[in-house]
Amino acid sequence: MPSLRDIRTPALVLERGILTRNIAVMAARMQPHGVALRPHLKTAKCAQVAKLATAGQFGGITVSTLAEAAYFAGHGFRDITYAVGIVPAKLGAVAELQRDGTIVRLLTDDVTVAEALAVRATALGTTFHVCVEIDTGGQRGGGAPESDALLGIARRVHESPALCLDGVLTHAGQSYATPGAEAARAVAATERAGVVRAAERLRAAGLPCPVVSAGSTPTAVHATSLAGVTEMRPGNFMFFDLTQVGLGSCTVNDVAVSVLASVIGHTSDGNRALVDAGSLALSADTSANAHLPGVGFGIVGDLWGRPLDGAAAFPLASPRTAPPAASPAPGYLAARIARVHQEHGFIESMTPLPLDALPVGTRVRILPNHACITAAMYDAYHVVDGSDEIVALWPRARGW
Ligand code: PLP
């Protein structure tokens, strides 16, 4: 069996045991709410992960690109929500994907698009399933739950024999701006209230609304009530990352993906080790620092994810609150990627780095700030299960 000691770096590593635990925990969270899980595969983009995430569920998934839709349809997934606002130019490709009975559910918040959907569905000899996108505070796609436009769009969809009005969909992306469980709970309540209100308005107007779809990882983790919601679409929860640690969605021990890198040298001041993982291997996303000041471009551990310097480099206690910027918890900062160039990363530490213990060729593992973006840099996961032995290679979908 190949080992993490042998493969070319940088490489993306996935801990199978953590992945399956994260999936089981989310399934157990949804169960008492009686809400279906339609996991978002934008993070994983991988059929093997999708099969684990949908096991015991109804089988529906969410995607963020048509390339993902085609990839997952090719792996037998037949109920797919494409959760990015549709443009008419993509409808030919959607119709093609639906030829074998797959449903690729579409999203719009625009009445002119609803009209184009009706015309194109008839011309293409297909039926498009449509959700109206609702903004519940994220200020991205969607209209307000109380907007006049909502009923106009929904009615236009419902009136077309070539369209099927499935319901309403929202994603409270503002859940990422609010560290801590209490704030996430409040966003989850706002997300639920907004999307349920939109559904009630449709029904009061005599329109069908079987699907009331919501969710992000922080709101799915922290929601106390999901009454009226029919499905949740978290995606990042399968892997988690340092951003989710900072938000209080998980602990560092729940992060399932890491980047394997090699030490390629030391800076001449003797303070920093260089690795072959820079912005293209880790991404330049520094979002976790908003909640965990000082984690830089990722926390660095040894080949097995243990602290580099023997200190508690990975905070093992549940870090529900971010360390204050003025007195950063040494645990977070014992070893981190402080700076990146395209193919270089600089390991720095609050405590002296044991550079003699990090000779050129030493392998380290870096926990990412934002797993969705970091994973997007790779063609495959090197799957391990608590050791450095690679138990599987799982490909990822790429493209748009
Ligand atoms: N639904 C939509 C529309 C999204 O855009 C996203 C993520 O961007 C999700 C669900 C999943 O949220 P998360 O990444 O927090 O799991």
Side-chain angles (χ1 to χ4, degrees), residues 200-226:
E200 283 167 358
R201 288 189 65 221
L202 258 57
R203 291 178 190 134
L207 296 164
C209 190
V211 174
V212 184
S213 182
S216 67
T217 289
T219 56
V221 167
H222 291 293
T224 48
S225 166
L226 291 173

Side-chain angles (χ1 to χ4, degrees), residues 108-110 132-154 167-171 174 190-202:
T108 190
D109 61 1
D110 187 316
V132 184
E133 187 172 11
I134 309 297
D135 177 18
T136 50
Q139 300 270 305
R140 194 176 67 179
E146 299 292 349
S147 73
D148 293 339
L150 166 63
L151 294 184
I153 299 163
V168 287
L169 180 150
T170 194
H171 166 69
Q174 74 271 30
T190 304
E191 181 180 57
R192 185 200 77 80
V195 75
V196 168
R197 171 71 186 138
E200 283 167 358
R201 288 189 65 221
L202 258 57

Side-chain angles (χ1 to χ4, degrees), residues 384-396:
V384 297
D385 213 349
S387 80
D388 57 301
E389 186 184 307
I390 296 166
V391 296
L393 190 69
W394 290 351
R396 288 173 46 89

Side-chain angles (χ1 to χ4, degrees), residues 159-303:
E159 281 167 359
S160 168
L163 301 181
C164 181
L165 177 62
D166 280 355
V168 287
L169 180 150
T170 194
H171 166 69
Q174 74 271 30
S175 59
Y176 281 84
T178 53
E182 206 174 313
R185 264 197 295 279
V187 175
T190 304
E191 181 180 57
R192 185 200 77 80
V195 75
V196 168
R197 171 71 186 138
E200 283 167 358
R201 288 189 65 221
L202 258 57
R203 291 178 190 134
L207 296 164
C209 190
V211 174
V212 184
S213 182
S216 67
T217 289
T219 56
V221 167
H222 291 293
T224 48
S225 166
L226 291 173
V229 171
T230 63
E231 62 174 34
M232 288 292 277
R233 306 182 319 278
N236 177 282
F237 75 94
M238 299 171 212
F239 295 171
F240 286 128
D241 52 30
L242 295 178
T243 296
Q244 299 291 348
V245 173
L247 290 168
S249 306
C250 65
T251 74
V252 128
N253 296 317
D254 300 319
V255 180
V257 284
S258 56
V259 170
L260 180 74
S262 298
V263 173
I264 56 170
H266 303 143
T267 53
S268 55
D269 60 11
N271 287 333
R272 281 169 271 171
L274 292 170
V275 289
D276 58 357
S279 56
L280 288 187
L282 297 170
S283 94
D285 190 315
T286 54
S287 53
N289 292 266
H291 309 302
L292 300 176
V295 294
F297 296 84
I299 291 177
V300 186
D302 70 8
L303 185 57

